[in-house]
Amino acid sequence: QLQLVESGGGLVQPGGSLRLSCAASGFTLGAYAIGWFRQAPGKEREGVSCISRSGGSTKYADSVKGRFSISRDNAKNAVYLQMNSLRPEDTAVYYCAASAQYRGTTWCPLSETYVMNYWGQGTQVTVSS
């Protein structure tokens, strides 16, 4: 069974931090580029960050640059999203997704939801005082 499972979401105060995890089961995550997406109530799903297969290339949405950091540990078959200085506008359901496409060593899909082969169930992040 091929599965991605997110964890680490929750309620946090503005300025706080959360670390999201995305664990793969049934397949080797090292063969996939990974993207983190989020969807807030009433809004379209948007790309937050992505990381290439080897971890050598990353991208971030302008809204999270300097605050979020993506990383991966292929030996543990997991990807992480460290979120610092959280703001109320970061409130959303966060999803990780994996793409088997290979377009070069530096490629990762920041906004291309259509290239994703597998999606996690999502984890809720709420930033509120």
Side-chain angles (χ1 to χ4, degrees):
Q1 184 177 0
L2 306 179
Q3 186 175 330
L4 291 172
V5 178
E6 301 98 332
S7 62
L11 175 64
V12 65
Q13 293 183 332
S17 297
L18 286 173
R19 188 188 190 222
L20 305 183
S21 298
C22 176
S25 299
F27 65 102
T28 301
L29 203 57
Y32 296 80
I34 304 298
W36 281 97
F37 300 82
R38 67 185 181 186
Q39 188 165 22
K43 296 184 178 180
E44 297 290 324
R45 186 173 300 184
E46 64 174 340
V48 176
S49 183
C50 67
I51 188 167
S52 60
R53 289 187 178 190
S54 67
S57 181
T58 60
K59 297 178 181 178
Y60 299 91
D62 289 341
S63 59
V64 306
K65 286 181 179 178
R67 300 188 297 119
F68 290 12
S69 179
I70 191 171
S71 62
R72 67 190 301 162
D73 188 340
N74 288 342
K76 295 182 178 180
N77 226 24
V79 176
Y80 309 97
L81 185 67
Q82 178 68 45
M83 306 186 296
N84 299 322
S85 301
L86 284 163
R87 305 165 180 170
E89 52 264 41
D90 295 319
T91 296
V93 177
Y94 284 71
Y95 302 87
C96 69
S99 175
Q101 293 192 30
Y102 182 75
R103 302 182 182 181
T105 58
T106 64
W107 180 78
C108 72
L110 179 60
S111 60
E112 301 93 339
T113 59
Y114 59 90
V115 305
M116 299 301 178
N117 301 104
Y118 305 105
W119 290 83
Q121 83 288 353
T123 185
Q124 177 70 49
V125 173
T126 302
V127 184
S128 177
S129 60

